């Protein structure tokens, strides 16, 4: 369908070779925070699957040869856009400028979100005492929206709760 759409619309003005399509594999769906596999309600031995999600796109870019192609052609900067918020393009140029000015290898843009909204959140994960004993380190990462509230419920915060004044989540 995607190839037909591109062909019908003459690649929306892009030259042949400027568009590379990659396909995500499917993985078993997880039904709860304990990591239990989701199964078909009519067949408990049939695993339900879902697209792998954002996590494998980096591997797909590598496997498709795009990383090498970009490096060989002298590309210095890329913008990696995930599908949750098209408004990011309004701030992209400024973000790229800040990244270059500060010598950042990675930078993220976020938007205000309401608790429970289907948008991932940038969070700083700090290991508890047990995690520190295992030499776990702090991570600042995107936490997918469908995992955020459950993760926050394991902390003193108690969940993804709205700020009293703004009504927004403190996790953009």
């Amino acid at each position: 369908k995607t190839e037909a759409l591109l062909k019908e619309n003459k690649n929306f003005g892009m030259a042949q070779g400027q568009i590379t399509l990659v396909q995500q594999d499917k993985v078993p769906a997880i039904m709860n925070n304990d990591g239990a596999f989701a199964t078909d309600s009519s067949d408990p031995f049939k695993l339900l699957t879902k697209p792998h999600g954002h996590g494998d796109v980096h591997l797909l870019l590598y496997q498709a040869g795009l990383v090498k192609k970009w490096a060989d052609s002298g590309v210095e900067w890329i913008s990696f856009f995930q599908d949750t918020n098209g408004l990011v393009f309004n701030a992209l140029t400024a973000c790229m400028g800040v990244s270059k000015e500060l010598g950042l290898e990675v930078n993220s843009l976020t938007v205000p979100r309401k608790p429970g909204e289907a948008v991932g959140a940038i969070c700083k994960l700090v290991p508890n005492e047990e995690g520190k004993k295992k030499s776990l380190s702090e991570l600042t990462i995107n936490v997918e929206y469908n995992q955020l509230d459950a993760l926050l419920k394991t902390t003193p915060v108690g969940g993804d709760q709205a700020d009293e004044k703004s009504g927004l989540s403190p996790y953009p």
Side-chain angles (χ1 to χ4, degrees), residues 22-70:
V22 295
Q23 183 173 348
Q24 291 183 317
D25 289 328
K26 289 193 169 189
V27 295
I30 306 296
M31 68 179 210
N32 59 34
N33 287 328
D34 294 326
F37 290 126
T39 57
D40 188 313
S41 60
S42 63
D43 182 354
F45 299 102
K46 181 179 179 184
L47 290 178
L48 297 178
T49 61
K50 65 175 194 65
H52 193 275
H54 299 309
D56 73 338
V57 72
H58 306 94
L59 177 62
L60 291 171
L61 293 174
Y62 177 79
Q63 289 174 336
L66 287 173
V67 175
K68 181 172 178 11
K69 179 181 174 181
W70 291 338

Side-chain angles (χ1 to χ4, degrees), residues 144-156:
E144 291 293 334
Y145 68 90
N146 59 347
Q147 298 294 310
L148 183 61
D149 190 53
L151 173 71
L152 292 173
K153 284 181 179 174
T154 67
T155 72

Side-chain angles (χ1 to χ4, degrees), residues 111-115 117 160-171:
V111 296
R113 53 177 288 285
K114 294 179 181 175
E117 193 171 6
D160 189 15
Q161 300 175 13
D163 176 76
E164 291 179 20
K165 292 181 182 176
S166 69
L168 298 171
S169 171
Y171 304 94

Side-chain angles (χ1 to χ4, degrees), residues 97-116:
V98 167
S99 298
K100 182 175 182 177
E101 183 72 23
L102 297 177
L104 303 177
E105 293 182 17
V106 175
N107 198 353
S108 296
L109 289 172
T110 64
V111 296
R113 53 177 288 285
K114 294 179 181 175

Side-chain angles (χ1 to χ4, degrees), residues 69-77:
K69 179 181 174 181
W70 291 338
D72 290 349
S73 69
V75 170
E76 293 184 53
W77 299 89

Side-chain angles (χ1 to χ4, degrees), residues 54-55 80 82 84 108-110 113 119-125 139-148 151 171-172:
H54 299 309
F80 184 79
Q82 292 180 286
T84 35
S108 296
L109 289 172
T110 64
R113 53 177 288 285
V119 176
I122 302 293
C123 297
K124 181 177 182 179
L125 304 181
L139 294 171
T140 300
I141 61 170
N142 177 66
V143 177
E144 291 293 334
Y145 68 90
N146 59 347
Q147 298 294 310
L148 183 61
L151 173 71
Y171 304 94

